């Protein structure tokens, strides 16, 4: 199993660094020789000016907007909708966007005194969560030694730790300092006090205050203050920098949060082992071996070779493990969900504010949580949605005159639901899409307490919005107006309008269908709200049907129109296929084929560099969809394009021109899962999209809907055996159209089973392991 990213030289820029983190604290380790830099982040360090922003009253304008859109006047309707529901002109404050930007906390620097260096190497060990830099140095003519620096965000101590020593026992001398990019609206104070280096900041005009505190512990040697900015250490056997941060959110005391306890530099090995044990416990739940020889080359060189046309099918296995690592590092102990950049940002004005985008990016970040056995890390996502509920109710009422909740297309961690993305903001599908994750968590865990206390209240809020927002047409269909297919526009829309506001886009219909279905299913399981269940069924059944165009493609809008951008990055009209389950091979075969044609057409347009915005996360979504169709070779081809076109030397995903976005990493990892195991509607599909390039291998610990854990071994491109562990009593269904599989118990005894249609069925018992071959 490949678990190391490695290089023969330092990072050339921030995006080539190694990310470490635990959800609350994060750092990017750049690996420079003389002056190591760790770019620091705290999950709550956002500018803070937008914490109390509010919505405006616009509901009385909704009939006017609807009249234009229903009359087919797309351009006038879109302009008015943008002005009314997503524009500072209507607010009267002239602002364009009040979403807070995620902020760098500053940089930790470690300057070392040493001679010439050679034999440099750095690596990120995904199994241990440690970034390691090693190089050979000659402090004088008679000595040489290997300088070893290791950095981690300690999972149990909740601290960032940086340790430096020379393997051969040569003393080390250096200095530690903290700094931050200059910002005219942030007041900084620096202090050296004893063994502490402290950086305090306060963003003016009501922004947040924060504290970054580093303590320096040495094994031998001495400490020496160098002014009020640097703390030196002299002739130490080793040095340990322990860093913590605090932000004054929710009446928290940043000084108290940034507390650093006494540590012993000589006890580094014990600290290290404690962290490694906790990290491995979290990530060892899933293992993947593709049975392929990994090239003995640094990661950047492997990427160069693949870009030059060489084959490296094992690279997808490393990318999968990296995706799991990044998800854990950005979510494990977090209260804020992974943003566009996870928890890593070295700017004051990052692209798109490094915010939470609700129209694919945040959702994609959390697709792998359940199947990759990290369900606890989804809590940050659920908290985010729950924080949005109070203001989401206010936004639904004031903007659209509806009960329930409205969530915007983009936001920050403060739970504010104001539409801020002008020209893109008029979209009501975010709450429904995020609610899907609550249902997914229940599907994998079958935790009825979670369903009752956290999921069902969200489903009811989303359903209540649709109860008021949907309007009945002359045929008795319930239409969604205004509606959009996120970030896309059809031909005939004015060029200065990036989005077409319309009637019942396919994606909005799919999201409404999904939200109402989950509310119905949850109410049935919990045996509550029988009257609501019937109302929601009537609403769901009255939604517009999904339509197929004259060319056989699934329509993206409610009528057949030309595409302004045939290669558009979003494929929102496939939400009901993946990640949803409204469109399936057996249940809706015509729509299944139509969706495939839509995917093929969009992908072909991107292959030919048609306008629309090819991105890393877009390719990850395509790869997931192709895997979900069972086309593993095409999925791997697209993943390889992601590696070669939108990946830094350290395998971080990119959005053009060179902006790190974590969604491509996490979505790409999910594509690998989809190649190996699928479980929509609790039908297990074993090796549903195995690429020919992976003829033999083994994966363990993947989770499936219905409370199952699955290990799979394959050889010569065929299943050898699958071990299924049931967490509860359940009727287990495995897709087996050839009726070739059978089931035995752990002791080899046959288990009563039967084939029905395309599935093998047997009754699984809680705590029991079954072998399928």
């Amino acid at each position: 199993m490949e678990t190391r990213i490695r290089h023969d030289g330092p990072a050339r820029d921030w995006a080539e660094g190694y990310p470490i983190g635990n959800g609350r604290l994060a750092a990017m380790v750049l690996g420079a020789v003389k002056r190591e830099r760790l770019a620091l982040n705290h999950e709550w360090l956002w500018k803070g000016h937008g914490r109390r922003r509010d919505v405006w009253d616009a509901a009385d304008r909704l009939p006017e907007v609807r009249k234009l859109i229903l009359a087919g006047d797309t351009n006038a309707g879109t302009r008015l909708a943008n002005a009314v529901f997503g524009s500072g002109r209507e607010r009267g404050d002239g602002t364009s966007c009040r979403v807070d930007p995620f902020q760098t906390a500053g940089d930790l620097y470690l300057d070392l005194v040493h001679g010439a260096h050679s034999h440099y190497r750095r690596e990120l060990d995904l199994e241990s969560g440690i970034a390691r830099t090693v190089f050979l140095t000659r402090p004088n003519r008679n000595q040489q030694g290997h300088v070893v620096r290791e950095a981690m965000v300690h999972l149990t101590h909740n601290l960032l730790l940086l340790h430096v020593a020379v393997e051969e026992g040569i003393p080390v001398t250096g200095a530690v300092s903290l700094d931050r990019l200059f910002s005219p609206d942030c007041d900084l104070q620096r202090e050296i006090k004893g063994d502490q280096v402290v950086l305090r900041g306060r963003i003016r005009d009501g922004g947040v205050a924060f504290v970054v505190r580093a303590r320096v512990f040495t094994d031998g040697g001495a400490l020496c203050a160098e002014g009020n900015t640097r703390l030196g250490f002299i002739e130490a056997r080793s040095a340990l920098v322990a860093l913590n941060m605090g932000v004054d959110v929710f009446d928290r005391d940043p000084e108290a949060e940034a507390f650093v306890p006494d540590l012993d530099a000589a006890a580094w090995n014990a600290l290290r082992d404690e962290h490694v044990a906790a990290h491995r416990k979290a990530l060892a739940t899933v293992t993947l071996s593709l049975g392929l020889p990994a090239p003995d080359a640094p990661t950047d060189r492997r990427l160069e070779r693949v870009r030059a046309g060489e084959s490296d099918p094992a690279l997808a296995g490393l990318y999968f493990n990296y995706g799991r690592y990044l998800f854990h590092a950005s979510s494990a102990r977090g209260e804020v969900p992974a943003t566009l950049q996870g928890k890593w940002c070295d700017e004051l004005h990052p692209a798109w504010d490094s915010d939470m985008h609700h129209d694919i990016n945040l959702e994609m970040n959390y697709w792998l949580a359940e199947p990759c056995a990290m369900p606890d890390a989804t809590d940050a996502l659920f908290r985010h949605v729950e924080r949005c509920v109070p203001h989401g109710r206010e936004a639904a009422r004031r903007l659209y005159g509806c009960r329930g909740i409205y969530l915007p297309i983009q936001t920050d961690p403060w739970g504010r639901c104001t539409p801020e993305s002008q020209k893109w903001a008029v979209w009501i599908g975010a709450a429904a899409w995020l609610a899907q994750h609550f249902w997914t968590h229940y599907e994998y865990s079958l935790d009825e307490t979670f369903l009752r206390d956290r999921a069902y209240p969200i489903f009811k809020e989303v359903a209540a919005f649709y109860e008021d927002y949907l309007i009945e047409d002359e045929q008795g269909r319930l239409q969604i107006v205004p509606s959009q297919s996120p970030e896309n526009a059809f031909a005939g829309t004015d060029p200065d309008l990036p989005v077409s506001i319309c009637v019942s886009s396919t994606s909005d219909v799919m999201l409404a269908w999904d939200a109402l279905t989950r509310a119905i299913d949850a109410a049935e399981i919990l045996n509550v709200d029988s009257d609501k269940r019937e109302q929601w069924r009537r609403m769901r059944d009255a939604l517009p049907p999904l339509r197929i165009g004259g060319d056989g493609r699934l329509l993206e809008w409610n009528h057949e129109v030309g595409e302004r951008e045939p290669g558009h990055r979003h494929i929102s009209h496939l939400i009901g296929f993946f990640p949803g389950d409204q469109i399936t091979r057996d249940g809706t075969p015509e729509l299944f084929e139509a969706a495939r044609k839509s995917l093929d057409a969009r992908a072909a347009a991107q292959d030919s560099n048609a306008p629309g915005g090819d991105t890393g996360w877009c390719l990850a979504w395509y790869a997931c969809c192709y895997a979900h169709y069972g086309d593993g070779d095409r999925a791997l081809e697209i993943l390889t394009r992601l590696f070669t076109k939108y990946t830094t030397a350290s395998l971080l995903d990119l959005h053009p021109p060179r902006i790190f976005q974590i969604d491509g990493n996490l979505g790409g990892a999910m594509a690998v899962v989809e190649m190996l195991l699928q479980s929509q509607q609790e039908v297990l599909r074993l090796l549903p999209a195995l690429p020919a390039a992976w003829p033999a291998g083994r994966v363990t610990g993947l989770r499936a809907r219905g409370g199952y854990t699955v290990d799979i071994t394959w050889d010569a491109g065929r299943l050898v055996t699958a071990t299924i562990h049931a967490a509860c009593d359940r009727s287990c269904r495995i897709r087996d159209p050839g009726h070739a599989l059978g089931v035995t118990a752990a002791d080899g005894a046959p288990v009563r089973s039967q084939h029905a249609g395309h599935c093998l069925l047997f009754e699984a018992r809680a705590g029991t392991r079954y072998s399928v071959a």
Side-chain angles (χ1 to χ4, degrees):
M1 183 172 77
E2 278 206 84
T3 59
R4 292 176 191 268
I5 296 171
R6 61 188 180 97
H7 295 83
D8 286 343
R12 293 172 295 182
D13 60 19
W14 177 87
E16 291 189 359
Y18 292 156
I20 57 174
N22 68 353
R24 185 179 78 92
L25 303 176
M28 191 72 80
V29 184
L30 274 71
V33 175
K34 285 191 174 294
R35 192 172 210 221
E36 173 63 294
R37 174 192 173 203
L38 276 69
L40 306 173
N41 291 101
H42 184 294
E43 66 171 348
W44 283 109
L45 184 44
W46 301 63
K47 203 161 190 178
H49 288 157
R51 285 181 284 182
R52 287 167 289 278
R53 67 183 185 272
D54 209 350
V55 291
W56 54 95
D57 293 320
D60 62 329
R61 305 290 300 278
L62 183 58
E64 184 182 353
V65 171
R66 282 176 166 165
K67 183 177 180 180
L68 287 170
I69 296 170
L70 290 168
D73 194 342
T74 298
N75 292 313
T78 298
R79 292 186 188 283
L80 183 60
N82 288 340
V84 169
F85 301 116
S87 170
R89 287 186 292 137
E90 286 293 311
R91 294 197 297 264
D93 60 12
T95 59
S96 59
C97 182
R98 298 175 296 172
V99 170
D100 261 346
F102 192 34
Q103 300 282 281
T104 173
D107 297 294
L108 169 66
Y109 290 104
L110 174 63
D111 295 278
L112 291 180
V113 178
H114 56 75
H117 77 279
S118 62
H119 296 82
Y120 178 99
R121 68 182 186 274
R122 65 183 174 111
E123 67 177 27
L124 176 62
D125 186 340
L126 307 179
E127 274 193 303
S128 67
I130 296 176
R132 193 169 194 259
T133 302
V134 181
F135 53 88
L136 182 67
T137 183
R138 290 181 177 271
N140 55 59
R141 185 178 302 174
N142 300 318
Q143 287 182 308
Q144 70 174 17
H146 291 87
V147 175
V148 180
R149 291 195 308 254
E150 293 186 308
M152 68 178 72
V153 178
H154 205 286
L155 276 180
T156 54
H157 286 277
N158 207 2
L159 299 168
L160 187 153
L161 301 180
L162 173 62
H163 181 264
V164 61
V166 179
E167 283 184 341
E168 289 78 4
I170 301 171
V172 291
T173 295
V176 174
S177 59
L178 293 168
D179 203 355
R180 189 175 189 265
L181 290 172
F182 170 75
S183 174
D185 62 356
C186 182
D187 297 319
L188 295 177
Q189 294 181 339
R190 297 171 175 85
E191 180 184 18
I192 303 292
K193 183 177 181 180
D195 61 9
Q196 298 186 31
V197 183
V198 184
L199 178 68
R200 296 181 177 89
R202 178 173 291 279
I203 297 173
R204 298 175 186 172
D205 301 323
V208 302
F210 60 94
V211 176
V212 183
R213 176 177 286 109
R215 292 184 66 184
V216 182
F217 305 97
T218 62
D219 181 8
L223 297 178
C224 177
E226 302 175 10
N228 69 339
T229 60
R230 283 164 50 101
L231 180 61
F233 54 91
I234 304 169
E235 295 289 306
R237 285 182 290 274
S238 67
L240 171 63
V241 183
L243 181 143
N244 204 351
M245 295 179 265
V247 184
D248 71 339
V249 295
F250 310 121
D251 298 321
R252 296 174 186 173
D253 179 358
E255 295 283 353
E257 186 188 357
F259 172 74
V260 178
D262 292 333
L263 297 175
D264 182 358
W268 167 248
N269 287 337
L271 280 169
R272 187 185 191 280
D273 291 347
E274 184 183 12
H275 163 79
V276 170
H279 187 87
R280 285 180 174 165
K281 182 179 179 181
L283 267 75
T285 50
V286 173
T287 66
L288 172 63
S289 174
L290 295 178
L292 299 167
D296 184 17
T299 305
D300 54 341
R301 205 162 304 155
R302 291 176 66 180
L303 284 171
E304 290 170 4
R305 292 172 180 173
V306 173
R307 288 176 182 133
E310 293 186 24
S311 177
D312 188 353
L315 193 59
L318 178 61
Y319 200 81
F320 169 75
N321 288 324
Y322 194 30
R324 293 176 56 244
Y325 166 87
L326 288 170
F327 179 74
H328 181 261
S330 60
S331 301
R333 298 189 62 161
E335 297 176 322
V336 176
T339 73
L340 286 175
Q341 295 181 297
K343 297 292 173 68
W344 297 276
C345 171
D346 73 333
E347 300 180 59
L348 301 173
H349 304 286
W352 306 287
D353 300 308
S354 189
D355 64 12
M356 274 76 80
H357 264 49
H358 291 160
D359 61 336
I360 176 57
N361 313 88
L362 183 59
E363 290 86 355
M364 182 180 287
N365 285 354
Y366 283 82
W367 285 346
L368 58 74
E370 302 294 344
C372 285
M374 293 184 279
D376 292 345
T378 59
D379 188 62
L381 175 65
F382 300 146
R383 288 194 197 190
H384 169 68
V385 176
E386 290 162 345
R387 276 193 298 270
C388 288
V389 166
H391 197 244
R393 291 183 182 131
E394 181 78 357
R397 181 182 64 82
R398 295 182 65 184
L399 289 171
Y400 294 107
C402 296
R403 295 166 299 142
I405 58 173
Y406 158 86
L407 269 64
I409 200 168
Q410 64 171 142
T411 192
D412 47 36
W414 311 125
R416 309 308 285 178
C417 294
T418 57
E420 300 293 341
S421 186
Q422 289 189 28
K423 297 188 178 181
W424 289 269
V426 186
W427 181 58
I428 53 87
W433 202 347
L434 289 166
Q436 190 177 85
H437 286 264
F438 287 77
W439 178 253
T440 300
H441 184 78
Y442 169 74
E443 284 185 295
Y444 279 87
S445 67
L446 302 179
D447 181 348
E448 287 195 18
T449 300
F450 173 85
L451 183 67
R452 180 184 64 249
D453 296 344
R454 300 187 73 178
Y456 187 56
I458 296 297
F459 300 155
K460 288 187 70 174
E461 293 281 1
V462 177
F465 180 86
Y466 284 116
E467 288 173 24
D468 292 345
Y469 190 78
L470 300 178
I471 57 174
E472 188 173 0
D473 66 14
E474 294 177 353
Q475 288 75 43
R477 291 291 181 186
L478 295 179
Q479 303 289 353
I480 302 169
V481 194
S483 173
Q484 70 159 281
S485 188
E487 303 190 30
N488 203 1
F490 47 75
T493 305
D494 286 345
D496 64 316
L497 296 175
V499 165
S500 303
I501 303 301
C502 63
V503 177
S504 299
S505 72
T506 296
S507 60
D508 271 344
V509 172
M510 288 172 165
L511 289 170
W513 183 94
D514 191 83
L516 294 170
T517 298
R518 303 319 167 199
I520 295 164
D521 291 346
E524 288 179 342
I525 293 166
L526 298 172
N527 194 26
V528 296
D529 295 334
S530 58
D531 54 338
K532 281 292 183 185
R533 274 182 260 164
E534 292 308 312
Q535 179 185 3
W536 295 333
R537 282 195 186 93
R538 290 193 299 271
M539 291 169 59
R540 182 185 62 184
D541 294 344
L543 288 170
L546 304 181
R547 298 180 60 194
I548 298 173
D551 59 2
R553 286 189 285 168
L554 182 69
L555 294 185
E556 185 166 359
W557 288 277
N558 71 332
H559 59 293
E560 202 154 359
V561 291
E563 293 178 295
R564 191 164 80 181
E565 294 183 342
H568 194 270
R569 61 197 174 277
H570 285 258
I571 46 173
S572 303
H573 53 310
L574 303 188
I575 289 172
F577 167 71
F578 184 89
D581 62 3
Q582 184 179 357
I583 296 176
T584 64
R585 184 187 304 273
D586 297 328
T588 57
E590 291 184 359
L591 291 173
F592 184 86
E593 290 303 320
R596 172 65 190 255
K597 289 182 178 179
S598 291
L599 178 63
D600 286 342
R602 189 66 56 88
Q606 289 211 348
D607 288 344
S608 62
N609 296 314
D614 192 6
T615 69
W617 63 258
C618 161
L619 294 178
W621 196 357
Y622 284 17
C624 285
C625 286
Y626 276 110
H628 201 61
Y629 271 111
D631 192 343
D633 290 335
R634 180 67 166 138
L636 183 57
E637 176 190 339
I638 290 175
L639 266 189
T640 303
R641 190 162 110 210
L642 189 160
F643 306 153
T644 57
K645 195 172 181 181
Y646 296 116
T647 304
T648 71
S650 58
L651 287 185
L652 291 176
D653 171 64
L654 290 175
H655 185 293
R658 189 177 165 79
I659 302 164
F660 163 53
Q661 281 193 208
I662 200 172
D663 37 25
N665 287 107
L666 306 184
M670 183 60 187
V672 175
V673 174
E674 283 289 306
M675 295 181 207
L676 302 175
L677 177 68
Q678 299 173 16
S679 62
Q680 268 77 1
Q681 298 181 343
E682 279 193 42
V683 176
L684 277 59
R685 295 167 174 83
L686 308 173
L687 304 179
L690 187 67
W694 302 347
R698 177 171 170 77
V699 64
T700 67
L702 290 179
R703 297 170 72 234
R705 292 170 175 85
Y708 303 107
T709 301
V710 183
D711 305 337
I712 305 173
T713 302
W714 69 94
D715 192 24
R718 299 176 63 85
L719 176 71
V720 174
T721 185
T723 301
I724 298 173
H725 180 268
C728 60
D729 293 350
R730 204 78 172 170
S731 294
C732 185
R733 295 181 293 161
I734 301 172
R735 184 170 173 82
D736 180 27
H739 294 190
L741 299 178
V743 188
T744 58
D747 60 3
V751 173
R752 179 180 296 177
S753 62
Q754 61 177 327
H755 281 89
H758 295 300
C759 289
L760 170 70
L761 286 75
F762 68 95
E763 294 302 315
R765 294 290 172 255
T768 304
R769 290 185 180 274
Y770 300 90
S771 179
V772 177

